[in-house]
Structure formats: C-alpha cells, structure tokens
Amino acid sequence: GLPQSITPALREAQTADIEAGHCGKVPPKIVQGIVDAQIVRDIWMAKVMLANAGHGVVLLAGNGHVRRDFGVPYWLRLRGAQHVRAVGYTEDGSGENASQYDDARAVPPHPRPDPCATLQMPAK
C-alpha cells in the first residue's frame, strides 16, 4: 500500500513525467504501475537517506528522482528533513524545467540518436 500522502497532483505530475520520458509510447494500461514503482523507489531512497542522515548523505540519482516537486526531496521534506538540496543536470535546450531543482546546472548535450525513434507503441 502506498501512503495516503500521495496527492492527485503528485500522481498527475509523475504520470506526465513518465509519459514524456517514454516518448508518449507507454501503453496506457501500465502507466500507473510504472508511476507507482517510481513513487515507491523515491520513498524508499528517502527512507534510507533519513536513516543515515546522521552521517551526512548524498544521493546520486537521475533527474526524475531528484526533483523537488515529487522526487526524493519531496518525501524527505514531507518527513521533516530540513537540509535538502536538489541539484539537476540538464542538457542545454532539453526542455527540462530548471525550477524543478534548487540548483540546475546546464551541460552541453551529448550527441546521440533520438531515443524516441526506436520506441514503438505495442500492437493492440
């Protein structure tokens, strides 16, 4: 069971992020399962960080996990953590919103093929 603190707004934001991150090609019937898995990962990472906070903790994770609005920092702050700083590394022109982090660092884009070009919506 997921906690009651998962608001509709948090679920909507996570859903939009998952769908965008998968190029809009995730079958609708499994999107919420992926969203639930992402939320559980974030809650678990926050739990482990809180349990070890006395030693000083740094989380190195993907940008989706370090977002202030629904990632690990959200869950840390919800549980009373006061010294949380989210740093996101975004590629120039990537369309990521720097306001999702306490500090956003723009890095040059890495040349690679379009990741969406290889994804296909499964046959019905």
Side-chain angles (χ1 to χ4, degrees), residues 51-100:
N52 293 283
H55 305 288
V57 180
V58 173
L59 171 66
L60 300 176
N63 282 357
H65 291 293
V66 300
R67 288 177 56 149
R68 291 182 313 180
D69 52 349
F70 58 68
V72 176
Y74 170 85
W75 296 104
L76 289 170
R77 289 182 177 119
L78 193 66
R79 286 163 176 73
Q82 296 187 11
H83 301 289
V84 178
R85 184 161 177 79
V87 179
Y89 288 84
T90 62
E91 291 185 353
D92 296 334
S94 69
E96 286 192 80
N97 186 347
S99 68
Q100 299 162 343

